[in-house]
């Protein structure tokens, strides 16, 4: 029953903002078009499609806001005008009771707050959809922050993710663009991302790794994690004091070298991506501060390391060479690198991809370098390659989103920032160092024992592979027949589920359409029912029906 009312709320919001218009009706089967007929009773809002989607997410609550924020990191799937609106989503929710917060901290740490902390602040420093933060001081007088997962958030996430998955499967099945947009994959990425954010011990481990990477650097400071007081749902970390990076007036007031600050941001990004291969992937302005110790050599301070990214060695190499080739206008090499890296199918015609890349990049590079957006060049490159069936890997999308954040922040701090002047020598140096004799020797030291261990088994592995390939040839026809039978069975199951899903959505749409007229009567009727008096068999049947509809199998 709770799931149905949540679905009804989603359908009502869809009708209010006419989100059905995001999918052309001509691409939908007639049965789905009939189910969406009630939508025409609602007027079209005087908003752009991006504004409609953003406001719909905000109305549906924090879990959908998080989903919208994830969509804003997928420029390979979502149009630019919608991404601009989704970037404006704010993840701010009212704080929950501080007494409850204290109880959760004590339950997580297994000790009273007064025993663990010398002082503890009742008022929260920040409150978001997933977690809430309070200030405190340890008994050694070290200021810290306590971050704790919002109570009951797992159930809310589980319920909404199941509904999102239901909607995604419907879109993928009935929209002509569904397969290309991969909505089920996007929801799965979202599920993994938000569940990772619930594990504060994972965030603490990410913070420790980043802190270790910049231990002796004056570029970036990462607050220390206090592991003795950190659990899966509780994180205690050093409290930092700095100027929020968006407070330009305060930075200018202390005499900050803004050009140096912007350039250091770019240097931090490329250091994380290419030297450390471990980068903070959520570097929006709310997570970045500037230290006050030395305004002429300003140092960044970063918080909230729940989302990090890394690349394979191959992706690092091909990305660096792609960027260098693009800015040299060597479009043929760009196309060849895309094929060599496996980013596009091996049978892609290089000359066609080269022509497409040239068409996109030539207008960009006719402008002065300081006016070129590095992030948008990368976005254009991925979008062009998508026409050649390139499927952008999640780690590359995270990288692109982080680069856009860093570049936008850098130009906000120093409008004349020339990203390429900072990035070019870094990439040239990194590629040269990659093939230095010392680097090759280090690689051999790292992987040599493993190679030597496997080498004696190479003949045996080769023989087994040949033997298995022969056996596979014998059973090939039987496997083909089994595959056809399974496909037919799966097709019949999909048809059955399709009718149930359309019926459920049509029912929710009908209720949502009629709600203004019957809302009060329906509410009185619901209140008059003695839900607790219903026999167990009724609840069992209801649960069975909803479970069948929401089943992923």
């Amino acid at each position: 029953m709770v799931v149905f009312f949540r679905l009804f709320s989603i359908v009502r919001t869809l009708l209010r903002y006419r989100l059905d218009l995001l999918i052309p009706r001509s691409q939908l089967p007639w049965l789905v078009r009939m189910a969406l007929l009630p939508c025409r009773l609602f007027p079209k809002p005087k908003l752009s499609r991006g504004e409609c989607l953003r406001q719909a997410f905000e109305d549906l609550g924090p879990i959908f806001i998080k989903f919208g924020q994830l969509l804003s990191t997928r420029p390979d799937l979502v149009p630019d005008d919608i991404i601009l609106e989704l970037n404006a989503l704010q993840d701010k929710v009212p704080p929950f009771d501080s007494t409850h917060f204290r109880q959760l901290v004590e339950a997580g740490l297994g000790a009273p707050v007064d025993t663990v902390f010398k002082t503890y602040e009742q008022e929260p420093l920040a409150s978001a959809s997933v977690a809430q933060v309070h200030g405190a001081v340890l008994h050694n007088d070290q200021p810290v922050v306590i971050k704790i997962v919002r109570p009951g958030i797992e159930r809310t996430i589980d319920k909404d993710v199941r509904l999102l998955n239901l909607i995604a499967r419907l879109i993928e099945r009935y929209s002509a663009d569904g397969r290309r947009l991969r909505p089920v994959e996007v929801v799965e990425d979202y599920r993994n991302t938000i569940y990772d954010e619930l594990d504060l011990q994972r965030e603490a481990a990410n913070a420790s790794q980043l802190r270790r990477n910049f231990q002796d650097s004056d570029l970036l400071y990462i607050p220390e994690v206090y592991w003795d007081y950190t659990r899966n749902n509780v994180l205690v970390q050093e409290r930092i004091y700095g100027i929020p990076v968006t407070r330009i007036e305060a930075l200018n007031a202390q005499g900050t070298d803004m050009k140096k600050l912007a350039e250091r941001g770019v240097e931090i990004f490329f250091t994380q991506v290419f030297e450390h291969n471990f980068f903070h992937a959520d570097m929006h302005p709310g997570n970045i501060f500037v230290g006050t110790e030395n305004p002429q050599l300003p140092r960044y301070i970063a918080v909230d390391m729940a989302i990090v990214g890394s690349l394979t060695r191959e992706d690092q190499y091909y990305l660096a060479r792609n960027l260098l080739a693009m800015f040299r206008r060597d479009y043929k090499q760009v196309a060849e690198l895309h094929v060599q890296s496996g980013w596009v199918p091996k049978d892609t015609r290089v000359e066609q991809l080269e022509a497409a890349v040239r068409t996109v990049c030539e207008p960009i590079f006719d402008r002065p370098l300081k006016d070129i957006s590095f992030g948008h060049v990368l976005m254009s490159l991925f979008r062009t390659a998508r026409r050649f069936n390139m499927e952008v890997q999640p780690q590359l999308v995270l990288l692109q989103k982080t680069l856009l954040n860093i570049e936008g922040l850098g130009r906000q701090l120093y409008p004349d920032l020339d990203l390429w002047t900072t990035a070019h020598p870094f990439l040239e140096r990194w590629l040269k160092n990659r093939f230095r004799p010392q680097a090759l020797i280090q690689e051999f030291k790292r992987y040599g024992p493993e190679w030597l261990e496997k080498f004696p088994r190479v003949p045996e592995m080769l023989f087994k592979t040949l033997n298995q390939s022969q056996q596979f040839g014998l059973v090939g026809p039987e496997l083909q027949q089994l595959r056809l039978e399974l496909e037919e069975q799966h097709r019949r199951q999909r048809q059955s589920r399709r009718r149930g899903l359309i019926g459920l959505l049509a029912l929710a749409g009908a209720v949502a359409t009629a709600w203004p007229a019957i809302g009060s009567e329906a509410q009185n009727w619901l209140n008059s029912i003695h839900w607790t008096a219903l026999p167990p068999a009724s609840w069992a049947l209801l649960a069975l029906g909803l479970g069948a509809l929401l089943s992923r199998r």
Side-chain angles (χ1 to χ4, degrees):
M1 184 60 67
V2 174
V3 174
F4 173 77
F5 279 115
R6 183 57 171 159
L7 181 62
F8 161 69
S9 175
I10 293 172
V11 171
R12 186 172 57 176
T13 304
L14 179 148
L15 294 173
R16 179 182 178 187
Y17 292 104
R18 294 301 307 274
L19 298 185
D20 60 296
L21 297 176
L22 294 178
I23 303 175
R25 290 183 181 274
S26 59
Q27 298 181 4
L28 300 174
W30 71 271
L31 198 58
V32 179
R33 278 182 263 175
M34 293 296 293
L36 292 177
L37 279 178
C39 298
R40 297 188 176 183
L41 299 177
F42 288 75
K44 296 180 181 180
K46 297 179 179 179
L47 300 170
S48 67
R49 61 179 183 173
E51 289 173 321
C52 286
L53 190 59
R54 175 178 60 79
Q55 292 192 16
F57 283 146
E58 289 176 347
D59 287 357
L60 289 171
I63 304 304
F64 280 81
I65 289 175
K66 280 283 184 184
F67 182 64
Q69 290 172 338
L70 175 75
L71 285 180
S72 72
T73 70
R74 300 302 302 264
D76 57 317
L77 303 178
V78 181
D80 293 347
D81 60 314
I82 293 180
I83 283 181
L84 289 174
E85 284 295 329
L86 295 182
N87 280 332
L89 284 169
Q90 296 296 314
D91 185 23
K92 295 180 180 179
V93 299
F96 61 90
D97 183 62
S98 59
T99 303
H100 195 183
F101 183 95
R102 182 186 183 115
Q103 293 171 351
L104 291 171
V105 172
E106 292 179 342
L109 299 181
V113 165
D114 295 335
T115 303
V116 180
F117 304 103
K118 184 176 181 179
T119 62
Y120 160 77
E121 297 178 9
Q122 295 287 336
E123 292 299 317
L125 297 174
S127 178
S129 58
V130 170
Q132 187 164 303
V133 178
H134 286 241
V137 178
L138 296 175
H139 285 288
N140 63 359
D141 294 327
Q142 172 63 52
V144 295
V145 294
I146 311 168
K147 184 175 183 179
I148 197 161
V149 174
R150 186 174 283 273
I153 191 66
E154 295 91 345
R155 292 192 301 275
T156 304
I157 290 173
D158 181 65
K159 178 182 63 178
D160 282 351
V161 166
R162 290 170 65 195
L163 287 172
L164 282 170
N165 189 274
L166 179 75
I167 295 169
R169 288 179 181 278
L170 202 62
I171 292 173
E172 189 170 88
R173 187 169 299 161
Y174 293 117
S175 170
D177 281 341
R179 188 178 299 276
R180 181 181 67 80
L181 296 176
R182 306 193 301 277
V184 175
E185 177 190 319
V186 172
V187 172
E188 185 64 19
D189 285 349
Y190 168 70
R191 188 183 71 83
N192 294 332
T193 299
I194 197 164
Y195 275 113
D196 284 349
E197 288 194 51
L198 295 180
D199 187 353
L200 297 185
Q201 202 148 4
R202 177 191 289 265
E203 179 181 339
N206 293 340
S208 293
Q209 179 66 53
L210 281 168
R211 179 178 172 85
R212 188 159 51 249
N213 290 346
F214 287 93
Q215 187 69 54
D216 301 318
S217 172
D218 62 348
L219 295 174
L220 178 66
Y221 184 80
I222 304 295
E224 182 180 358
V225 172
Y226 293 93
W227 284 104
D228 290 342
Y229 314 112
T230 295
R231 306 290 186 271
N232 285 341
N233 66 330
V234 181
L235 168 62
V236 176
Q237 196 170 14
E238 175 188 359
R239 186 171 183 176
I240 56 97
Y241 298 93
I243 300 174
V245 74
T246 53
R247 292 183 56 191
I248 307 298
E249 302 84 0
L251 293 173
N252 284 325
Q254 72 163 3
T256 303
D257 186 335
M258 303 300 278
K259 182 175 184 292
K260 178 70 70 174
L261 183 63
E263 291 174 347
R264 284 192 155 200
V266 177
E267 187 177 350
I268 288 169
F269 171 79
F270 282 97
T271 299
Q272 289 184 91
V273 172
F274 290 101
E275 290 190 4
H276 302 156
N277 194 21
F278 191 80
F279 59 92
H280 190 321
D282 196 20
M283 293 193 73
H284 62 76
N287 288 339
I288 304 175
F289 299 82
V290 179
T292 59
E293 300 84 4
N294 188 349
Q296 293 306 304
L297 291 174
R299 180 163 69 165
Y300 284 91
I301 306 170
V303 298
D304 194 355
M305 273 64 70
I307 304 174
V308 297
S310 61
L311 305 177
T312 65
R313 288 175 52 80
E314 292 77 13
D315 281 346
Q316 279 183 306
Y317 173 68
Y318 286 115
L319 182 65
R321 290 193 63 193
N322 259 295
L323 292 173
L324 287 170
M326 270 199 309
F327 278 88
R328 292 171 182 160
R329 303 193 183 193
D330 188 350
Y331 303 125
K332 184 175 182 179
Q333 187 179 42
V334 172
E336 291 172 343
L337 287 167
H338 271 66
V339 176
Q340 293 170 15
S341 66
W343 291 352
V344 296
K346 295 295 183 184
D347 58 355
T348 300
R349 296 184 60 179
V350 171
E351 63 274 11
Q352 291 182 354
L353 181 56
E354 176 191 357
V357 172
R358 179 184 295 109
T359 301
V360 170
C361 291
E362 274 300 315
I364 296 174
F365 292 123
D366 278 341
R367 290 177 285 175
L369 280 177
K370 73 179 184 65
D371 295 334
I372 296 174
S373 168
F374 214 149
H376 283 97
V377 167
L378 198 61
M379 184 187 300
S380 299
L381 182 65
F382 287 164
R383 187 176 291 114
T384 300
R386 190 178 66 196
R387 291 166 41 201
F388 294 84
N389 297 319
M390 174 182 179
E391 292 194 6
V392 180
Q393 300 299 312
Q395 65 270 19
L396 292 179
V397 175
L398 275 178
L399 174 92
Q400 177 183 305
K401 174 67 173 178
T402 305
L403 178 55
L404 285 168
N405 282 339
I406 291 294
E407 185 176 41
L409 176 62
R411 289 200 166 141
Q412 183 181 357
L413 297 171
Y414 184 70
D416 291 329
L417 172 67
D418 183 351
L419 196 75
W420 184 239
T421 301
T422 306
H424 181 264
F426 189 100
L427 293 173
E428 291 274 16
R429 185 171 62 252
W430 181 80
L431 283 172
K432 288 179 181 177
N433 290 340
R434 183 182 173 97
F435 299 106
R436 291 175 59 190
Q438 296 91 330
L440 297 177
I441 291 172
Q442 289 298 323
E443 287 294 301
F444 183 78
K445 285 181 179 179
R446 182 173 183 180
Y447 297 107
E450 183 180 348
W451 297 338
L452 293 174
E453 174 69 23
K454 292 181 178 179
F455 184 76
R457 298 179 56 199
V458 169
E460 179 188 356
M461 294 167 63
L462 181 60
F463 175 77
K464 285 185 177 180
T465 301
L466 291 173
N467 191 37
Q468 289 173 355
S469 65
Q470 292 175 352
Q471 293 177 356
F472 183 77
L474 296 176
V475 300
E478 288 82 357
L479 289 176
Q480 177 70 7
Q481 180 62 30
L482 179 60
R483 183 182 67 84
L484 292 175
E485 292 176 0
L486 289 174
E487 285 181 351
E488 176 61 23
Q489 182 182 1
H490 183 59
R491 185 185 66 81
R492 288 196 296 266
Q493 290 176 346
R494 282 188 305 172
Q495 286 179 343
S496 177
R497 287 199 302 266
R498 182 182 306 170
R499 297 188 187 97
L501 290 173
I502 291 177
L504 184 61
L505 284 175
L507 177 61
V511 174
T513 306
W515 193 259
I518 66 170
S520 58
E521 290 79 359
Q523 188 64 45
N524 293 334
W525 174 74
L526 289 173
N527 291 335
S528 68
I529 296 176
H530 299 287
W531 298 101
T532 57
L534 290 177
S538 299
W539 291 110
L541 289 172
L542 180 61
L544 182 63
L546 290 175
L549 284 171
L550 298 176
S551 173
R552 297 177 59 181
R553 298 188 62 177

